[in-house]
Every structure is written in C-alpha cells, then in structure tokens.
Amino acid sequence: MSKKIYLYGNWKMNNTYRETEKFFEEFPGVYEPFKNDAGLEVGIFAPFTSLWPLSQGAKKCGIVFGAQNVYYEPKGAFTGEISIPMLKEYDVTHIILGHSERRHIFFEPDEMIAKKTKAVLEAGMTPVFCYGETLEERESGNTFTVMERQLKAVLDILTPEEAAKVIYAYEPAIGTGKTATPDQAEEVCKWSRELIGNPKVVILYGGSVKGSNAKELLSMPDIDGALVGGASLKPASFLEIYGAYKG
Ligand code: 13P
C-alpha cells in the first residue's frame, strides 16, 4: 500500500505533565523503526497542561503535535479559554476542533466550530476538523443529514484553498461502544470527499481504532489515517496500530 498514512493520537483528558514526560521516555525507542517511513505521519494531541513536555518529546521524535481545542478570538474577556497566539508560543501547528465530545458534552455549535477552523487556518496552522453522527442519529437514518450540516457550516466560510488544508476526521457514535464497520466508515469518507469537492483532502477515521482492526480500516481507499483515543495513551498500543497496518 503506497498512500501516506496519518496516525494521530487524541489523548483527550488523559496524561498529566509528568505522565507525558514518562510517555516520551519510552516512545523514541518504540518509534525508531517507523521514524524514516516517509509514508507515515504520527501526531499526538494532548491537554493544554501537557503541551510543554509534549512539544519537547515530539520534537525529539520528529512527530507532529497539537492541542485539542482553541478559541477563535486572539485575546480578551473569555474566561477559561485558550487562544491561538498562546498555542503558537508552544510551537503548536495542529489543533483538533469539533470533536464529538466538544459537540455533545460541551454543546459547541457548528458555527463556533467553523469560526475556530477558519481562525486556525488564518493563523497558518492545521485544523483537524471532526464531524460525525451520534448513535441515535445513525439509527434514525440521519447520518448524512447531520454530517452535511456539520460540514457545510465550515465549508461555507472557507475558501477552496483553505478547505484543502483541513484534515477531516470522521468520528461516529463515539463513546457508545458501537463502532462503524470498515465498509460504513469507507462509505462516509467517500461521501465526505465528494461533498468537500476535492479528491485530495485528507480524511481520517476515529472510533475504537486499535491493532486488531487497523489494517482493515486503513486499507480502505478513502480512509487516510486514524484518530486514535484509548489506544494512543501508551506508546506500545499506539504503534501496534502502525505495525498491524504494515504487517
Ligand atoms: P477511541 O479510539 O478511544 O474510541 O476514541 C476515538 C476518538 O474519539 C478519537 O478522537
């Protein structure tokens, strides 16, 4: 298989500052065999408070690193928020936006996620834009209506050049224990590529990706990589996914 594969770990609210330091004590050794693989891009997205040790560790390993959210205003009276200039001082280049947990637990609306995506692009950084339906929405036959609404909200305010720079991540029904089959994931990623209107955009799949299912998912023609939650928290389980894909 010759396509470039993206293996991104979303740590969510896991791995403290000290645990992140520990992760990188183990990670370089594990990562070594994969380091020179031009067909692979590894990235890790940590909580804000772990960004410093993440940046130090990631730079040593030559991997991409980023945050899991950001606000679109550069500064001001926005208690509890983090701005793009704040992240830039940590050399952050990639930011996850619109994760299903942000949408469903913290009620972030489509318009806010779209504005964040635009602001990140305008700052010269790469948004990892997440979208996807809940289990209820899938079971009621609304998968494509929901995703069209989520994607259109952002595509409406981006230029085609900006839309081409976004990394899209399809993450359905997260946290329900039910995951999409490779065929279902492929169907949505293919459909998304057509809706976005650019065959070259990068589209990841996220939802219980692990060593045992990675090969099948990553072999799908419209899936360019994985956004991995639980299996990214330890170096060995994270890279088992790559091993499975290659093997
Ligand atoms: P899991 O891999 O733990 O199912 O998490 C998926 C996810 O939400 C990644 O962003």
Side-chain angles (χ1 to χ4, degrees), residues 10 12 99 101 171 174 207-209 227-230:
N10 173 14
K12 309 191 179 185
H99 190 276
E101 288 144 18
E171 294 214 324
I174 301 297
S208 298
V209 178
L227 187 55
V228 184

Side-chain angles (χ1 to χ4, degrees), residues 128-145:
V128 180
F129 174 89
C130 303
Y131 63 101
E133 80 285 24
T134 61
L135 184 59
E136 295 71 35
E137 288 160 347
R138 175 167 279 270
E139 287 178 345
S140 60
N142 286 320
T143 298
F144 293 98
T145 321

Side-chain angles (χ1 to χ4, degrees), residues 182-236:
D183 285 339
Q184 283 170 335
E186 166 62 18
E187 182 193 17
V188 171
C189 292
K190 187 171 192 292
W191 171 90
S192 311
R193 205 177 286 286
E194 279 158 21
L195 184 95
I196 297 161
N198 179 346
K200 292 207 181 117
V201 287
V202 175
I203 307 184
L204 315 182
Y205 168 75
S208 298
V209 178
K210 41 187 179 293
S212 57
N213 61 13
K215 190 173 176 102
E216 219 186 335
L217 284 162
L218 297 177
S219 304
M220 292 290 167
D222 286 285
I223 301 179
D224 298 305
L227 187 55
V228 184
S232 73
L233 295 175
K234 295 269 182 267

